[in-house]
Amino acid sequence: MFSQFALHERLLKAVAELKFVEPTPVQVAAIPLALQGRDLRVTAQTGSGKTAAFVLPILNRLIGPAKVRVSIRAVILLPTRELAQQTLKEVERFSQFTFIKSGLITGGEDFKVQAAMLRKVPDILIGTPGRLLEQLNAGNLDLKEVEVLVLDEADRMLDMGFAEDVQRLCDECGNREQTLLFSATTGGASLRDMIGKVLKSPEHLLVNNVSDLSENTRQQVVMADHNVHKEQILNWLLANETYQKAIIFTNTRAMADRIYGRLVAQEYKAFVLHGEKDQKDRKLAIDRLKQGGVKILVATDVAARGLDVDGLDLVINFDMPRSGDEYVHRVGRTGRAGNEGLAISLICHGDFNLMSSIERYLKQQFERRVIKEVKGTYSGPKKVKASGKAVGVKKKKVDKKAAGAKAAPKRKPAPNRPKAPALVSQDGLAPLKRRKPAAE
Ligand code: AMP
């Protein structure tokens, strides 16, 4: 029950209006500590209810009689526009019975309109780092009186290259009393570095380990011979699975466009979302998907970050994501807030080792599914190592003498070339593939 928290009655009224009955685990863990004013570092997966876990304590702090606003009192930083928009909606829903006003600052929107909004001084400002800094540099933003700062999806902001921008904004909120940092994963060295710099004696709440992902979402893999075969399997799945809405992930824009083209040709109501699409297209795609006019979204990772769409119950990884964290983000689009979800990854020869690294990272094995109607010949490597990876086929040694070949001249070792550090997943066990530069 939400009444277990020392929240203002107007907030409890809003919670009841939203038909939230039981708080989620992250809300149970974080709300009381946040209400005490503690700094928190929360590791909670997407869809866990983490937005309410920080929004309710902020509103509780700011609640009071209507008055002339003189300063921005809380800032929520997020990695993407969509996530910022969704968070604004959530804040507005929870603050509907209060006088608290919120504002949104993201890229892709009119700079002057935003500046005018800032002149009215919202109590809570929600935004993405890049545009917030531009507004700050233009002299439109004063963060000196900010009391609470939230860094949501902090790991994602770092992945997207916002480390310096976030740090600068944290410095601007130099008089803050509380900082709350949320991330879907435990992150790497750069997240630890940021935590050390911006949080004061934080409580670490590890609410959902990444390996809990499977709770509401079945995770399956289907073996495929090659990309054309993957397309056949995809067609079968879209025609035979029961789903309200589906999202198909690819690793490249070109593949997203190709699949989208094929779906449209088959008269599926689909949309494609990738980094080349502008803000208008992205908004349209998400709105149509939310309203149900479109059932299938084909997307690359960057484009789909932070999507929270009701009824998204099928995720298909046409290409296997390049890291365990990316997998968690993709599959986290479904099975949200207790709903059932299904995630299916299509695995060809080239995806197998990546899949087994991700299984080790998540400490779980995906269900192997065989669809007899579209079964191919590849069923995984003949032999696997203890790590779960395929045993490589050794090249036959050629007897050079017998072949009469000249022995190859010995090559000098390259002078002091620095070795790239090995990438190791967060459990410290399975080396993960180095991420290619984002193609999205
Ligand atoms: P989030 O992880 O904050 O993105 O939340 C995922 C979804 O769960 C959102 O649509 C929230 O409105 C919803 N939600 C959050 N907390 C609860 C709750 N206690 N009961 C029901 N739904 C919730």
Side-chain angles (χ1 to χ4, degrees):
M1 297 291 277
F2 276 86
S3 53
Q4 73 190 68
F5 305 123
L7 288 170
H8 195 284
E9 63 188 51
R10 291 191 196 175
L11 299 180
L12 290 175
K13 191 173 164 197
V15 168
E17 177 96 359
L18 293 173
K19 306 211 166 33
F20 285 15
V21 182
E22 284 300 324
T24 65
V26 66
Q27 292 160 2
V28 171
I31 292 176
L33 291 168
L35 284 172
Q36 285 169 24
R38 292 284 307 268
D39 274 13
L40 297 181
R41 174 205 169 174
V42 186
T43 310
Q45 71 192 38
T46 169
S48 59
K50 62 188 168 65
T51 314
F54 61 78
V55 170
L56 288 169
I58 291 180
L59 294 174
N60 203 68
R61 173 193 280 262
L62 304 188
I63 214 159
K67 58 178 181 183
V68 179
R69 274 176 279 275
V70 286
S71 59
I72 295 168
R73 297 179 61 195
V75 168
I76 303 170
L77 285 183
L78 305 113
T80 66
R81 296 160 190 179
E82 286 83 14
L83 204 50
Q85 282 156 1
Q86 282 167 20
T87 305
L88 174 73
K89 276 197 192 130
E90 198 94 332
V91 172
E92 285 175 342
R93 280 159 39 162
F94 286 123
S95 59
Q96 60 182 303
F97 302 115
T98 74
F99 295 105
I100 296 167
K101 289 278 169 279
S102 321
L104 183 71
I105 299 283
T106 66
E109 305 289 339
D110 191 287
F111 196 83
K112 285 188 185 148
V113 172
Q114 289 178 347
M117 181 276 286
L118 289 173
R119 280 196 290 279
K120 291 190 202 149
V121 195
D123 299 292
I124 303 178
L125 190 61
I126 300 156
T128 49
R131 178 56 72 88
L132 274 172
L133 264 189
E134 285 174 45
Q135 291 287 4
L136 191 82
N137 292 336
N140 298 333
L141 192 55
D142 181 358
L143 299 176
K144 296 283 180 284
E145 301 299 321
V146 168
E147 295 164 40
V148 190
L149 174 65
V150 177
L151 307 180
D152 192 14
E153 304 232 352
D155 48 349
R156 188 61 53 212
M157 287 201 276
L158 292 174
D159 280 357
M160 290 172 78
F162 286 138
E164 271 180 32
D165 291 358
V166 171
Q167 189 57 52
R168 163 99 198 276
L169 289 163
C170 289
D171 294 344
E172 286 295 322
C173 303
N175 294 321
R176 66 188 185 274
E177 292 160 14
Q178 187 178 30
T179 312
L180 306 170
L181 182 144
F182 288 75
S183 63
T185 64
T186 45
S190 50
L191 186 67
R192 280 197 297 278
D193 185 48
M194 173 176 282
I195 286 163
K197 283 185 187 150
V198 307
L199 298 184
K200 270 192 231 132
S201 343
E203 184 85 27
H204 184 185
L205 306 175
L206 192 74
V207 182
N208 279 303
N209 195 299
V210 282
S211 48
D212 294 342
L213 195 56
S214 60
E215 238 173 58
N216 302 314
T217 303
R218 287 179 72 188
Q219 296 172 74
Q220 302 179 332
V221 292
V222 178
M223 298 296 162
D225 295 343
H226 37 64
N227 278 349
V228 176
H229 185 213
K230 280 189 179 183
E231 284 178 23
Q232 287 165 3
I233 299 173
L234 177 69
N235 284 343
W236 189 92
L237 289 170
L238 292 177
N240 292 282
E241 279 298 332
T242 319
Y243 59 93
Q244 284 183 55
K245 289 168 199 170
I247 183 161
I248 301 161
F249 281 102
T250 65
N251 287 354
T252 61
R253 294 170 188 173
M255 186 54 87
D257 282 334
R258 178 187 160 102
I259 291 175
Y260 168 69
R262 306 241 156 179
L263 293 180
V264 171
Q266 293 176 69
E267 299 191 352
Y268 276 111
K269 289 197 168 133
F271 231 106
V272 65
L273 206 58
H274 54 57
E276 247 166 39
K277 300 281 164 189
D278 66 16
Q279 181 61 9
K280 239 173 54 201
D281 287 334
R282 289 156 71 94
K283 207 166 168 297
L284 193 67
I286 291 166
D287 286 350
R288 291 262 172 87
L289 194 69
K290 284 192 170 168
Q291 289 151 11
V294 162
K295 269 185 79 166
I296 305 171
L297 184 69
V298 188
T300 58
D301 294 292
V302 165
R305 235 155 243 163
L307 264 184
D308 177 16
V309 176
D310 276 347
L312 195 64
D313 43 8
L314 177 63
V315 172
I316 299 177
N317 289 319
F318 187 88
D319 297 315
M320 202 58 182
R322 298 173 185 122
S323 73
D325 286 350
E326 209 65 80
Y327 180 88
V328 171
H329 275 275
R330 287 185 182 185
V331 172
R333 304 293 114 225
T334 181
R336 293 169 84 96
N339 294 319
E340 296 280 305
L342 175 63
I344 305 172
S345 303
L346 309 186
I347 306 293
C348 350
H349 166 75
D351 301 305
F352 191 88
N353 281 351
L354 189 51
M355 177 204 76
S356 65
S357 285
I358 294 173
E359 283 185 322
R360 282 199 24 133
Y361 174 53
L362 299 173
K363 298 193 185 75
Q364 65 188 68
Q365 237 211 338
F366 303 138
E367 190 183 323
R368 268 55 173 173
R369 176 169 170 191
V370 177
I371 305 170
K372 64 177 189 314
E373 291 85 345
V374 280
K375 188 174 178 303
T377 51
Y378 181 67
S379 59
K382 296 226 162 43
K383 273 191 186 169
V384 288
K385 299 183 211 166
S387 65
K389 291 191 173 177
V391 174
V393 182
K394 278 194 184 148
K395 281 186 194 146
K396 276 190 187 159
K397 274 190 185 166
V398 180
D399 186 342
K400 285 180 186 153
K401 272 188 196 162
K406 258 192 192 171
K410 269 190 185 168
R411 279 177 60 188
K412 273 189 190 170
N416 284 345
R417 191 181 298 152
K419 250 190 172 180
L423 283 189
V424 177
S425 70
Q426 282 140 25
D427 61 6
L429 293 173
L432 288 173
K433 265 199 175 168
R434 185 169 297 280
R435 219 181 265 199
K436 286 184 197 153
E440 295 78 24

